[in-house]
Amino acid sequence: MSSLRVLIPEEKIQARIRELGAQIDADYPGGGVYLVAILKGAFIFLSDLSRAMKTAARIEFVGISSYGRGKTTSGEVKLTKDLDVSVEGHDVIVVEDIVDSGITLSYLLQVFRQRRPKSLRIATFLDKPERRQRPVKVDYVGFQIPDEFVVGYGLDYAEDYRNLRDVCVLAE
Ligand code: IMP
Ligand code: MG
């Protein structure tokens, strides 16, 4: 039987996202950024973050597969859904649910740099710095968390638990 323990409650999440929105507003005074969210895990963070900022934003999605159904990365990353638009010459913020090994994001950044955006930054809801295998510079971080497997607020285990309002540790 698996059990859930609340790690970050809803109120704390919402307060932090308001701060991140204000930070992004301060960093893009000219407005007009592309928020590119990685499916599926980032969908709730994207939804709240995009409304916490006043900066005009366009929303795009990319699909990536690396994890399969397990708890650890397969190490293989595949772009399963590419951008529908050109981001050349635009400010881009990649919106991710969690940076773990860093393999997914380092692959995606390499792909995105070839699209020649004006600027490229990363906003991640969660960061597990202890598990990093590839260096990734994250510009906006919601919360740093210890090396535990978490679910909720978009994050899944084998596609379950994404719609929990809190971030919870999933223990066997
Ligand atoms: P990375 O390539 O190892 O950095 O993995 C990033 C991806 O792994 C995230 O987008 C998540 O889909 C998944 N992931 C990593 N840690 C967790 C976790 O604790 N819970 C749920 N998914 C996770
Ligand atoms: Mg996942």
Side-chain angles (χ1 to χ4, degrees), residues 12 74 114 124:
K12 254 185 96 176
S74 65
Q114 294 164 8
T124 186

Side-chain angles (χ1 to χ4, degrees), residues 100-157:
D100 187 35
S101 68
I103 291 170
T104 305
L105 267 182
S106 56
Y107 166 80
L108 195 69
L109 287 180
Q110 181 197 315
V111 171
F112 272 26
R113 282 195 199 100
Q114 294 164 8
R115 312 286 167 84
R116 309 193 323 148
K118 181 173 152 202
S119 69
L120 184 58
R121 288 191 176 166
I122 296 171
T124 186
F125 174 54
L126 300 176
D127 183 15
K128 275 188 202 170
E130 286 169 46
R131 293 195 23 108
R132 206 57 43 82
Q133 292 176 36
R134 305 269 168 83
V136 184
K137 180 177 163 285
V138 280
D139 303 278
Y140 306 101
V141 178
F143 301 92
Q144 287 199 345
I145 62 165
D147 180 12
E148 290 186 285
F149 195 84
V150 293
V151 294
Y153 199 75
L155 291 107
D156 73 306
Y157 175 57

